[in-house]
Amino acid sequence: MAGAGGGSNDVQWCFSQVKGAIDDDVAEADIISTVEFNHSGELLATGDKGGRVVIFQQEIENKSQPQCRSEYNVYSTFQSHEPEFDYLKSLEIEEKINKIRWLPQKNAAQFLLSTNDKTIKLWKISERDKRPEGYNLKEEDGRYIDPNTVTALRVPVFRPMDLMVEASPRRVFANAHTYHINSISINSDHETYLSADDLRINLWHQEITDRSFNIVDIKPANMEELTEVITAAEFHPHQCNTFVYSSSKGTIRLCDMRESALCDKYSKLFEEPEDPSNRSFFSEIISSISDVKFSHNGRYMMTRDYLSVKIWDLNMENRPVETYQVHEYLRSKLCSLYENDCIFDKFECCWNGNDSVVMTGSYNNFFRMFDRGQRRDMTLEASRESSKPRQVLKPRKVCAGGKRKKDEISVDSLDFNKKILHTAWHPQDNIIAVATTNNLYIFQDKVN
Amino acid sequence: MFPKGTKRKFSDSGDEPPAGSDDVNQPSSAAVRMLSSYSLQRQSLLDMSLIKLQLCHMLVEPNLCRSVLIANTVRQIQEEMTQDGTWQIMTQALSAANAAAQCSADRLVATEVLCRQTEAAQGEPAPKPFPAVGSEGCSAEEVVVVEEEDEGVEGGVIMSTVSPQAPTAYLPSTFGIDPCWEEETGEEEDEDEDSEECASGSEEGDNDRLVEDSRTAEQVFGTFEIKNPAPSPDPALEELFSDVDASYYDLDTVLTGMQSAPKMGPYDLLESLSSHGPSPLSSSTSCRSDLNELDHIMEIIVGS
C-alpha cells in the first residue's frame, strides 16, 4: 500500500497510541463523535458527545529525520458546546459535536470550526509561552502599587513561562438551522464556509455571524411529501464555486454557485442505477449516503453508503469508477440490522495524502483500507489486545459462511456495538486516527 | 380455501376442515404457503417499522433522516401489499368461479371473514392505513397483534377489498379476528353471535399468539442471531400513551402525510380490479360478476 512519501512498499501498520478511558464502562459524554487532522497534520482534534473538544499535538522525537516516530499528546481541551433547551419546541438541543473543521493557518494561532446540531462556533487556539513582567503600577500578584511610592520607571519585559494553550470562542454562528446540522465545509477562498442540515445548506462568511445565505433548500412545500434529506455536503478543495451534497436516496448533486443564488438546480447528478437482483425493502436505506469526501487533487469524490465505498470521477455521473465492498457479508443480515437500528449507522470515510488509499470503519472495531492502485484491501482491528507499543497489526478476516478458518471471525460473532464511525488520515504521512466508541487509536507506518 | 389452509397454523384447536376440501385445496397450498411466508416477513417488517416510527416520537429530537427512511420503507411495503392484494383477489375470484363444487362454500367462508372484518372495523375509531402512527397513541401491542393475522389475512383482507365497506389496509381491520372462525362451517345464522364470542375471547389468546408469531418471524428472517444488539431506546409503554403534543415535531407532518400518502382507498382498488385485470386471467368478466355477487351477499349479511 503506497504511502504518501514512500514507494510501492507494503505499509505495515503499527499501534502507536490509544487515548481515552481504559475501562469498558463507557460514559455517554465520552463517546467520540468526530476526528480531524489539521492541514499540516501537527494537530489532531476530537469532539465528543459531551460537547468537548480535545486537541492533540504531534511531538516528533527527532525532527531532523524524515521517518521517525511521533507521538500525539494533549494540547488543549475545552468545552465547545453546552446542552441547550429550545423553549419553543420543548426540545433539548444536544451538545454533541457533529463536526470539526480546521481553518488554514494564517498566523501563529490555530482556528477551527466546531458544530453541534444547531450552532457553529469558531474557536481560536493560541499559545502563550511568555508573559510580561515588571509593571510599574502592579505587583507580580496583581495588587496595585500606590503611585506615590514609585521612585523609578522601568519597561516591562517578556519572560518565558510554562506553555499555556488557550481556546477562545471568536464567533458564534447561531439560529440559521431549523434541522440538525450534519456537515460543515470550509471554502478554498478562505473566506466562506457552508453548513448543511437535513433540508438546507447555508453559506456563511467567516467574519459575519448575523447573516447567512441559503444556497440549497430541498424542503417540500408540504412536509407530507418529504422523502429525501441531505446527508452530507462539502466544498471542492480548489474550485471555490463548486460544492456537492449527498442524499438519503443515494444521489450526489454537484452545484455551481455561479449559476444562481439558490442552487436548487444541480450542475451534475451522480447516481448509480440500482442493481435489480439485489433489490429488497432495505435497498433505499442501505443506499443512503453517510459521507462524501473530495479527493485531495479534486478530481474524484468518495461516498460511503451502508455496505460500500464508491469513488466517483467528477466527469462521469452515471456510475462510480470504483466500488469497494466494506462488509458485504452483512447483506443477508439487513433485517436484523434494521431491527437493532444498526442499519442507520453513519460511517465516515477518508483519503490518504496522495489519494491512493481510502479508509472507512466497520463493526467489531474493524476498519478497512482499500488501495486503489494495487487493488488490494485490508481489514484491521482497533483493540486493546493489539495495543503493545509498536505492535504490528495483523490483518483480520471475516468468515461469511461455510468452514471457518483459524483466526477468522464468523459474522455471527461480530460485536455490533463496537463500531468505528470516524477515522482520519494524516495529510502527508502514514499516520491514522481511528475512533472506537470512546477511545482514539493512533496507528503509524512501521518505522524501519 | 386458502384461508383455512393458512389459518390452521395459528389455531389452538385441532379442528378438521370439512371433508373433501383438502383434496381440492392441495394444488395451490404450496404456492400459498410460499406466498404466506413472504407476506409474513413483509408484515413483520411493516410492524417493526411502525413501532420504530412511533418510538421516534418519544425521542428528544427525532432524527429526520432515520424517520424519512423508515417512512419510505413503510410506504414501499404498503404499495406492494396493495398490489399483491389485487393479484390475489383475481386468483381467488377465478378459482371460485372455476371450481363449481366448492364455489358456494368458498363464498360463504369468504363472506364470514368479510363480515367479521367489517364488525371488527366498526369497533375502530376510524380505519386508517397507519393508526399506530397517529397521535392517538395506539398500543404497540395492537400493531404487533396484526402479525398473527398474516396468513389468514390473505384471505381476509382480500375479501375486504372487494367490499366497499371494509377498510383496505391490514392493520386496523384485522384486530379482533382470530382463528376460531374455523369452527364455522358456513352457517349464516350463527355467524354474528359466534363472531362476537370469538372476538371477545381472542384477546387472551392474542398475547400467546404474539409470542408465537415473533418466534415465527425470527425463524423466517434469521438463521443467526446478532450478539449484543444495540440497546433499543426502551421507553416505558406508558410513555407511548402519555400526552405528547404532536405539534412540537416537524416529523408529525411527515407521519400524518403517511396516513394520507397511500392514495388507494378501497374504492380505488375495486376500480383497478375491474379496469385492468391481469392478462393471464381470461375470465375477467366472470370474476367481476362473482365480485358483484360477493358484494351482494355481504351486504345482505351485514344488513341482517
Side-chain angles (χ1 to χ4, degrees), chain A residues 286-348:
Chain A
I286 62 169
S287 74
S288 174
I289 291 172
S290 50
D291 194 17
V292 64
K293 291 261 170 51
F294 277 105
S295 61
H296 290 96
N297 59 20
R299 301 216 310 262
Y300 300 96
M301 68 177 173
M302 164 168 55
T303 58
R304 175 73 155 98
D305 50 72
Y306 190 62
L307 296 180
S308 67
V309 160
K310 295 180 181 170
I311 313 270
W312 303 79
D313 185 322
L314 292 186
N315 297 316
M316 187 159 74
E317 296 165 60
N318 59 355
R319 59 176 174 80
V321 288
E322 293 152 41
T323 303
Y324 301 103
Q325 301 301 334
V326 181
H327 35 218
E328 181 70 10
Y329 45 78
L330 296 182
R331 192 179 286 274
S332 55
K333 318 292 187 193
L334 291 179
C335 196
S336 293
L337 293 166
Y338 180 70
E339 197 172 4
N340 64 15
D341 268 6
C342 283
I343 209 175
F344 300 107
D345 287 335
K346 294 198 184 302
F347 292 94
E348 292 174 9

Side-chain angles (χ1 to χ4, degrees), chain B residues 231-296:
Chain B
S232 52
D234 195 21
L237 268 181
E238 298 82 69
E239 287 177 33
L240 285 173
F241 301 108
S242 72
D243 243 341
V244 177
D245 186 350
S247 64
Y248 287 152
Y249 304 88
D250 278 343
L251 181 59
D252 261 352
T253 51
V254 177
L255 297 175
T256 44
M258 266 172 38
Q259 290 171 1
S260 53
K263 303 293 178 208
M264 274 193 127
Y267 300 89
D268 297 335
L269 207 49
L270 191 55
E271 274 161 31
S272 66
L273 264 180
S274 41
S275 57
H276 39 71
S279 36
L281 295 168
S282 49
S283 53
S284 45
T285 36
S286 60
C287 288
R288 211 175 305 160
S289 63
D290 287 330
L291 296 177
N292 291 335
E293 231 173 312
L294 283 166
D295 222 357
H296 180 60

Side-chain angles (χ1 to χ4, degrees), chain B residues 133-145:
Chain B
V133 157
S135 43
E136 291 101 18
C138 179
S139 158
E141 284 162 310
E142 268 179 16
V143 174
V144 183
V145 158

Side-chain angles (χ1 to χ4, degrees), chain B residues 9-86:
Chain B
K9 228 191 251 184
F10 300 100
S11 172
D12 289 329
S13 59
D15 286 338
E16 294 296 323
S21 61
D22 251 355
D23 299 334
V24 189
N25 290 342
Q26 218 122 47
S28 51
S29 63
V32 163
R33 249 178 276 124
M34 202 170 66
L35 213 62
S36 305
S37 158
Y38 173 76
S39 305
L40 180 66
Q41 258 184 338
R42 192 174 55 185
Q43 187 67 43
S44 174
L45 184 60
L46 181 61
D47 299 337
M48 209 195 303
S49 304
L50 291 169
I51 292 173
K52 280 185 187 297
L53 281 172
Q54 194 170 29
L55 287 176
C56 262
H57 263 296
M58 308 305 152
L59 292 174
V60 168
E61 266 227 83
N63 183 336
L64 189 62
C65 181
R66 179 176 175 271
S67 308
V68 166
L69 288 173
I70 298 174
N72 288 350
T73 308
V74 169
R75 205 172 285 131
Q76 239 185 12
I77 296 173
Q78 221 221 1
E79 274 166 21
E80 200 186 279
M81 276 174 150
T82 308
Q83 288 163 16
D84 282 359
T86 309

Side-chain angles (χ1 to χ4, degrees), chain A residues 50-304:
Chain A
R52 289 165 303 191
V53 171
V54 179
I55 302 176
F56 302 91
Q57 184 188 43
Q58 189 183 31
E59 279 158 28
I60 302 170
E61 276 178 5
N62 194 339
K63 286 195 166 80
S64 59
Q65 285 179 16
Q67 275 217 16
C68 60
R69 229 158 288 122
S70 56
E71 257 198 5
Y72 281 84
N73 299 315
V74 177
Y75 180 64
S76 172
T77 305
F78 57 92
Q79 185 75 33
S80 171
H81 287 71
E82 299 276 359
E84 284 169 46
F85 196 75
D86 182 341
Y87 293 99
L88 213 57
K89 293 188 198 171
S90 282
L91 292 174
E92 207 184 79
I93 299 171
E94 275 192 315
E95 67 275 30
K96 174 169 73 91
I97 308 294
N98 291 336
K99 282 285 174 352
I100 289 173
R101 290 287 183 263
W102 290 91
L103 268 64
Q105 191 174 10
K106 283 187 207 167
N107 50 38
Q110 301 278 356
F111 289 85
L112 61 79
L113 285 175
S114 67
T115 184
N116 69 347
D117 284 339
K118 298 285 185 182
T119 305
I120 306 141
K121 292 188 184 179
L122 176 69
W123 287 88
K124 175 180 178 184
I125 297 104
S126 48
E127 287 182 7
R128 193 193 291 270
D129 62 354
K130 300 183 210 5
R131 64 155 191 240
E133 284 177 21
Y135 284 105
N136 289 293
L137 293 176
K138 238 185 349 182
E139 296 276 15
E140 293 305 320
D141 56 9
R143 275 181 304 137
Y144 283 96
I145 300 173
D146 180 5
N148 299 324
T149 61
V150 174
T151 53
L153 286 177
R154 55 185 175 165
V155 178
V157 293
F158 273 96
R159 297 219 189 279
M161 60 178 256
D162 288 340
L163 178 66
M164 197 166 71
V165 181
E166 299 171 323
S168 56
R170 303 304 273 191
R171 305 271 187 278
V172 178
F173 305 90
N175 302 320
H177 286 280
T178 310
Y179 303 95
H180 291 182
I181 297 174
N182 52 55
S183 313
I184 46 175
S185 178
I186 296 170
N187 204 348
S188 52
D189 66 2
H190 296 189
E191 278 186 0
T192 56
Y193 74 93
L194 64 75
S195 58
D197 67 27
D198 294 318
L199 297 178
R200 299 192 178 100
I201 302 180
N202 292 333
L203 181 70
W204 302 82
H205 191 284
Q206 288 168 17
E207 301 292 322
I208 300 167
T209 59
D210 60 355
R211 229 178 313 155
S212 78
F213 294 96
N214 177 243
I215 52 177
V216 172
D217 189 339
I218 64 166
K219 182 172 183 222
N222 186 358
M223 275 295 272
E224 294 173 5
E225 291 158 11
L226 179 68
T227 56
E228 192 174 8
V229 299
I230 296 170
T231 52
E234 196 180 56
F235 265 119
H236 190 278
H238 312 311
Q239 296 164 19
C240 58
N241 54 288
T242 305
F243 66 93
V244 293
Y245 67 92
S246 60
S247 82
S248 57
K249 285 199 172 168
T251 63
I252 310 103
R253 287 170 176 79
L254 186 142
C255 299
D256 188 335
M257 293 197 292
R258 297 171 300 190
E259 282 183 20
S260 68
L262 188 60
C263 300
D264 273 356
K265 287 195 181 40
Y266 51 82
S267 295
K268 294 191 185 184
L269 175 68
F270 297 84
E271 188 175 12
E272 185 174 24
E274 200 185 349
D275 178 7
S277 61
N278 269 336
R279 177 125 189 86
S280 76
F281 284 120
F282 306 108
S283 293
E284 188 183 311
I285 299 178
I286 62 169
S287 74
S288 174
I289 291 172
S290 50
D291 194 17
V292 64
K293 291 261 170 51
F294 277 105
S295 61
H296 290 96
N297 59 20
R299 301 216 310 262
Y300 300 96
M301 68 177 173
M302 164 168 55
T303 58
R304 175 73 155 98

